[in-house]
Amino acid sequence: MLLTLYLIALAIGGTLLVASLVLGGHADADADVDADVNVDAGAAAEVDVGGHEPHGDGLDAGDLLPVTSVRFWTFFLAFFGLTGTLLDGMHLVATPWLTLAIAIAVGWVCGAAMHAVYRRLRTEVVDSSITERDLLGASATVLLPVARGQTGKVRVAIAGRTVEFVADTEDDTAFAAKETAIIWKVEDDGRVWIARQ
């Protein structure tokens, strides 16, 4: 019975992993904004807009208990299912409960590790040389659609770096992915407001 559970988990997790590889960053980014509580405020949690020191890069509770992250569950299911299928199917462990415990542990570690890695890759730590003044009027490329009442994400090339920000707009017409906009306002938390050029 546990083997069936492992196979189902492997099928679901494996399908989601393959889908994320095939669809590329679009599905991945959508999952982050919609389901990951730690959207990182674009780069707001780590980008210094007001001249304060950026946060350190140590693990936080969100990395160890990322239960609201779609990415975590994708990797958890895939590696939980794979580990359980191999151990149970090949009778490598004496008891099914030990197999279950090992599969859960491996799935959790892999899911949490990949969640933490992707969070680090998704945002760049920027030093205090980037200020609100630098961002105002800067050109931004839309990564996730932005509309009135719909928060998205933009990428800005500034001070020799590429930085991503959570973005909002007051324009009546939505911004589609890959459109170019200008930043006209920066919030204290690092969120930016964009408008058409």
Side-chain angles (χ1 to χ4, degrees):
M1 178 165 177
L2 285 176
L3 182 58
T4 302
L5 174 65
Y6 300 140
L7 290 171
I8 292 172
L10 179 58
I12 295 171
T15 300
L16 291 174
L17 280 178
V18 170
S20 69
L21 291 174
V22 171
L23 298 176
H26 300 296
D28 183 54
D30 287 338
D32 284 339
V33 170
D34 293 338
D36 191 342
V37 168
N38 294 309
V39 178
D40 286 356
E46 299 190 63
V47 173
D48 177 31
V49 176
H52 302 291
E53 287 296 319
H55 292 287
D57 57 0
L59 286 177
D60 58 26
D63 290 330
L64 300 177
L65 297 170
V67 294
T68 58
S69 169
V70 171
R71 180 177 296 111
F72 166 78
W73 288 111
T74 298
F75 281 92
F76 174 84
L77 287 173
F79 285 94
F80 165 79
L82 179 62
T83 303
T85 299
L86 290 175
L87 294 179
D88 196 26
M90 300 177 72
H91 307 290
L92 297 176
V93 179
T95 67
W97 299 114
L98 182 56
T99 298
L100 179 62
I102 293 171
I104 290 172
V106 170
W108 193 278
V109 169
C110 290
M114 293 309 297
H115 171 76
V117 167
Y118 273 86
R119 280 187 63 196
R120 297 304 182 272
L121 293 176
R122 195 172 64 226
T123 58
E124 282 189 40
V125 176
V126 180
D127 64 26
S128 59
S129 63
I130 295 181
T131 65
E132 180 177 344
R133 180 177 294 181
D134 296 323
L135 291 172
L136 292 176
S139 180
T141 302
V142 177
L143 298 179
L144 294 177
V146 184
R148 185 190 291 267
Q150 175 188 338
T151 298
K153 187 179 267 190
V154 297
R155 177 177 291 146
V156 182
I158 191 166
R161 296 177 173 87
T162 301
V163 188
E164 296 176 3
F165 295 91
V166 168
D168 285 303
T169 186
E170 291 183 350
D171 282 23
D172 293 325
T173 307
F175 289 83
K178 298 185 180 178
E179 274 194 80
T180 302
I182 60 169
I183 296 173
W184 65 272
K185 181 180 179 182
V186 181
E187 301 285 0
D188 290 338
D189 62 1
R191 183 167 49 107
V192 300
W193 292 77
I194 61 172
R196 283 191 161 71
Q197 293 180 320

